[in-house]
Amino acid sequence: MARLVITGANRGIGLELTKRYAAAGHAVVACCRAPAQAEVLAELAAGPADVRVQALDVADADSVAALGAALADETVDVLINNAGISGPARAHQSLWDMDYDGWAETFAVNAMGPLRVLQALHAPLKRAALGKAVTITSQLGALSLQFPTSYAYCSSKAAVNKVMRLASLELEKGGIAVSLIHPGWVKTDMGGAGADLTVDESAAGIMDVIDALTLETTGRFLKWNGEPHDW
């Protein structure tokens, strides 16, 4: 049985991953900003599954530090940095109209938040036989994608891709493998009803990618189905 920490676990892909890992007998620390409003997580935690709900705002240093303190003496096998936001209204994150405060918030959550959490859980991950630190990113962060849209969101995902690529080079020495995963275009609140994949399909693929992650494959940018993604 593995212990996983999943951020943004109260809805969408994060919630589905929590359900699936818990159903498979793993221990899950399900993190979200407002546990009191996370009714499904509360139901999971009250049932037979090993699910613990933890308050976490990945953009808040004190909140992340509290997570680190709560797990300081434990082992974490897998960290899934899933929490993310789409940023300001699309009309206000363009070349000609940028909500700069919204852009800063998007960076704080999408680009800086995953590193904060990784730093806080470094020791618990290092205790694992093979610690795995995974970030759910987006194809919109790929510099190879020529599609001018959502400047704040796209730049935040490009930033976290680079951050985790750099981290993979350093963490490999300590036995921690890192992966960036594009979940596909998924039918969630963020992806919309017209997306290509269901949450079930995306989560199942992500779990397979995480299961296959090793130190030999660390630092890669992959699609939900395991295919390489262009940087």
Side-chain angles (χ1 to χ4, degrees), residues 12-21 80 136 181-184 186 197-212 223-226:
I13 295 170
L15 179 57
E16 184 61 27
L17 288 170
T18 298
K19 291 177 179 178
R20 285 174 172 266
Y21 278 114
I80 303 178
I136 306 302
I181 303 176
H182 165 55
V186 187
L197 298 173
T198 66
V199 173
D200 290 353
E201 291 170 327
S202 177
I206 289 169
M207 290 175 70
D208 287 341
V209 173
I210 293 172
D211 186 58
K223 300 177 185 178
W224 65 277
N225 59 6

Side-chain angles (χ1 to χ4, degrees), residues 109-124:
V109 174
N110 293 354
M112 298 168 68
L115 183 60
R116 284 189 191 277
V117 177
L118 176 55
Q119 289 175 338
L121 298 183
H122 176 249

Side-chain angles (χ1 to χ4, degrees), residues 11-230:
R11 63 179 183 172
I13 295 170
L15 179 57
E16 184 61 27
L17 288 170
T18 298
K19 291 177 179 178
R20 285 174 172 266
Y21 278 114
H26 300 295
V28 180
V29 181
C31 304
C32 63
R33 284 186 291 183
Q37 300 172 22
E39 296 178 359
V40 178
L41 288 182
E43 292 174 2
L44 288 173
D50 190 350
V51 175
R52 185 194 328 174
V53 183
Q54 172 77 34
L56 177 67
D57 180 347
V58 301
D60 183 272
D62 291 339
S63 181
V64 176
L67 171 68
L71 297 173
D73 298 323
E74 299 186 37
T75 296
V76 173
D77 298 281
V78 182
L79 163 63
I80 303 178
N81 273 313
N82 170 71
I85 60 174
S86 57
R90 186 172 294 180
H92 301 302
Q93 51 170 311
S94 70
L95 176 61
W96 307 114
D97 184 345
M98 174 58 76
D99 175 351
Y100 283 93
D101 290 338
W103 191 4
E105 180 188 16
T106 306
F107 249 79
V109 174
N110 293 354
M112 298 168 68
L115 183 60
R116 284 189 191 277
V117 177
L118 176 55
Q119 289 175 338
L121 298 183
H122 176 249
L125 282 165
K126 197 169 181 180
R127 291 191 192 103
L130 173 61
K132 300 182 181 184
V134 174
T135 298
I136 306 302
T137 183
S138 171
Q139 66 179 0
L140 293 177
L143 298 182
S144 59
L145 186 66
Q146 304 300 311
F147 185 50
T149 185
S150 303
Y151 278 42
Y153 179 78
C154 293
S155 61
S156 72
K157 290 299 187 179
V160 80
N161 287 355
K162 183 62 174 180
V163 165
M164 290 302 168
R165 173 59 182 161
L166 294 174
S168 72
L169 301 175
E170 298 195 73
L171 293 176
E172 180 181 4
K173 305 167 189 175
I176 298 173
V178 175
S179 184
L180 291 146
I181 303 176
H182 165 55
W185 185 21
V186 187
K187 293 179 173 71
T188 61
D189 291 344
M190 187 180 294
D196 295 331
L197 298 173
T198 66
V199 173
D200 290 353
E201 291 170 327
S202 177
I206 289 169
M207 290 175 70
D208 287 341
V209 173
I210 293 172
D211 186 58
L213 176 60
T214 66
L215 290 175
E216 286 68 38
T217 60
T218 191
R220 296 183 181 179
F221 183 12
L222 302 172
K223 300 177 185 178
W224 65 277
N225 59 6
E227 294 178 357
H229 198 297
D230 293 338

